[in-house]
């Protein structure tokens, strides 16, 4: 009798999200094929002021599972006040919420 260790190779868990997470509001476009395209973000800064970020360059998007929660992760570059910031924009599908993750 042989034992076969079961692995969830189709949807492996990516563990926990590392880095600083900030809640954001995101305006998103969905194509006819179901692809998500983030158009604009709104985030509250350290002074409590809400800032809109319109310049979002998405490098790639990937479906992931963090701690059992399905999500879509966008690796992107944001232009904020003339400065480019590399960050991950994550959409948690079951919770219908967006977070911005950066180092």
């Amino acid at each position: 009798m042989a034992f076969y260790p079961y692995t969830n190779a189709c949807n492996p868990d990516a563990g926990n999200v590392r880095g600083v997470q900030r809640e954001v509001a995101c305006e998103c476009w969905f194509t006819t094929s179901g692809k998500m395209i983030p158009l604009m973000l709104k985030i509250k800064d350290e002074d409590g002021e809400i800032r809109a970020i319109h310049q979002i360059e998405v490098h790639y998007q990937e479906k992931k599972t963090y701690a059992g929660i399905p999500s879509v992760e966008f690796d992107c570059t944001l232009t904020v006040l003339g400065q480019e910031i590399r960050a991950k924009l994550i959409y948690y599908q079951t919770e219908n919420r967006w977070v911005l993750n950066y180092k």
Side-chain angles (χ1 to χ4, degrees):
M1 180 174 193
F3 291 98
Y4 177 75
Y6 174 75
T7 58
N8 191 0
C10 333
N11 198 8
D13 196 284
N16 293 324
V17 179
R18 293 178 178 84
V20 178
Q21 274 194 26
R22 304 273 305 268
E23 297 281 332
V24 295
C26 182
E27 178 183 6
C28 189
W29 178 266
F30 291 86
T31 65
T32 56
S33 63
K35 183 178 176 184
M36 301 169 65
I37 301 171
L39 301 174
M40 180 193 60
L41 300 177
K42 285 192 177 181
I43 187 168
K44 191 180 283 189
D45 66 8
E46 293 80 21
D47 300 329
E49 188 175 328
I50 296 176
R51 299 214 179 256
I53 301 170
H54 295 279
Q55 294 178 334
I56 304 169
E57 179 186 349
V58 176
H59 303 290
Y60 69 87
Q61 77 181 50
E62 181 178 13
K63 289 186 178 183
K64 286 192 172 183
T65 303
Y66 287 111
I69 301 171
S71 63
V72 180
E73 180 180 285
F74 299 87
D75 181 35
C76 52
T77 300
L78 310 172
T79 304
V80 181
L81 300 173
Q83 226 178 0
E84 290 187 348
I85 300 169
R86 190 75 181 247
K88 296 201 186 276
L89 180 62
I90 304 170
Y91 174 63
Y92 292 106
Q93 295 170 324
T94 57
E95 300 171 2
N96 287 324
R97 71 182 181 102
W98 291 86
V99 296
L100 189 63
N101 186 25
Y102 56 95
K103 294 181 182 181

